[in-house]
Amino acid sequence: GEDVEQSLFLSVREGDSSVINCTYTDSSSTYLYWYKQEPGAGLQLLTYIFSNMDMKQDQRLTVLLNKKDKHLSLRIADTQTGDSAIYFCAESLDSGYALNFGKGTSLLVTP
Amino acid sequence: NAGVTQTPKFQVLKTGQSMTLQCAQDMNHNSMYWYRQDPGMGLRLIYYSASEGTTDKGEVPNGYNVSRLNKREFSLRLESAAPSQTSVYFCASSPPRGNQPQHFGDGTRLSIL
């Protein structure tokens, strides 16, 4: 299928905010997801947003959705070294079952 | 809270050998999935099972077979392993009805020599 686009790398200092961006492909996607993958581990669901929402906040995480531009972002406030991981954006597809994943953004948090 | 359990965690095979990767979930989810993760490629769907008794091909099904043994278990079989199948394999499950968040296992790291 078409590619969900994410930047490959992001480096931030501890305590700063991180913003990870994603451009998805299917304007009819019902849900959009953010997953976190730590080294050697599986994917952990961080948060998701329903397509009729513009924003969702969950503690340090803020998700913004711009349906017109098919742009999704994940903001992590007060980024900590434990937030260093790969972050995947994913969109639901027409079948309602498969997810279309981006290639992931590696976030490095430096002291 | 086991969630999604995959076995084995690591495996090395020789080209041409066969292997079955096991996956079980204890969340009473209807749908289960197999993905592979390769460097720079993200995750690609191999097969999925929307409900017990059904299986469907994903993006990259060639070289694989699946069995939905019961509601809990979904296995992935490589009949004749090839070096191109060296990858990390993830199993996932989701609640009934589509568009639900998927929950992932910790993966099986498979090397084919």
Side-chain angles (χ1 to χ4, degrees):
Chain A
E2 293 182 59
D3 289 344
V4 173
E5 299 286 347
Q6 298 180 240
S7 52
L8 292 181
F9 300 104
L10 177 64
S11 180
V12 301
R13 286 182 176 266
E14 191 174 18
D16 288 349
S17 292
S18 308
V19 179
I20 302 172
N21 294 302
C22 170
T23 303
Y24 60 97
T25 67
D26 187 355
S27 57
S28 64
S29 289
T30 308
Y31 286 96
L32 295 137
Y33 305 87
W34 284 105
Y35 283 87
K36 175 184 180 183
Q37 185 180 33
E38 297 182 6
L43 276 71
Q44 172 195 353
L45 178 66
L46 277 182
T47 186
Y48 62 100
I49 188 167
F50 190 50
S51 58
N52 68 353
M53 299 169 66
D54 297 326
M55 185 182 84
K56 181 179 180 181
Q57 189 153 2
D58 184 0
Q59 299 183 329
R60 292 191 297 122
L61 305 178
T62 303
V63 178
L64 295 178
L65 176 60
N66 180 329
K67 284 193 71 174
K68 174 176 169 291
D69 295 335
K70 292 187 280 188
H71 185 263
L72 184 72
S73 68
L74 174 69
R75 178 177 180 268
I76 306 172
D78 187 25
T79 314
Q80 302 298 307
T81 54
D83 294 324
S84 292
I86 302 175
Y87 291 81
F88 290 93
C89 165
E91 60 179 349
S92 58
L93 297 178
D94 282 345
S95 67
Y97 294 101
L99 295 182
N100 190 20
F101 283 87
K103 292 180 173 53
T105 299
S106 291
L107 174 65
L108 176 65
V109 183
T110 57
Chain B
N1 291 349
V4 178
T5 302
Q6 292 184 235
T7 54
K9 295 192 184 309
F10 303 93
Q11 185 69 48
V12 179
L13 294 177
K14 294 182 179 178
T15 298
Q17 286 186 313
S18 61
M19 168 91 192
T20 299
L21 308 186
Q22 306 287 352
C23 175
Q25 52 89 12
D26 62 3
M27 296 174 283
N28 201 34
H29 287 171
N30 276 24
S31 304
M32 298 185 73
Y33 313 82
W34 277 105
Y35 292 88
R36 60 178 289 173
Q37 183 180 30
D38 301 294
M41 298 292 289
L43 275 82
R44 293 181 292 170
L45 183 67
I46 304 171
Y47 271 93
Y48 69 98
S49 171
S51 61
E52 189 178 354
T54 69
T55 60
D56 286 283
K57 294 179 180 179
E59 182 185 353
V60 289
N62 290 346
Y64 305 96
N65 286 301
V66 290
S67 295
R68 183 73 183 267
L69 303 169
N70 48 55
K71 190 172 185 179
R72 289 187 65 246
E73 298 173 287
F74 188 39
S75 63
L76 178 72
R77 183 160 178 85
L78 287 71
E79 289 290 353
S80 179
S84 61
Q85 294 178 304
T86 293
S87 188
V88 182
Y89 291 86
F90 288 101
C91 177
S93 69
S94 65
R97 200 168 56 81
N99 292 315
Q100 297 293 319
Q102 295 180 14
H103 300 261
F104 284 78
D106 287 338
T108 295
R109 283 143 187 85
L110 183 61
S111 292
I112 318 284
L113 305 178

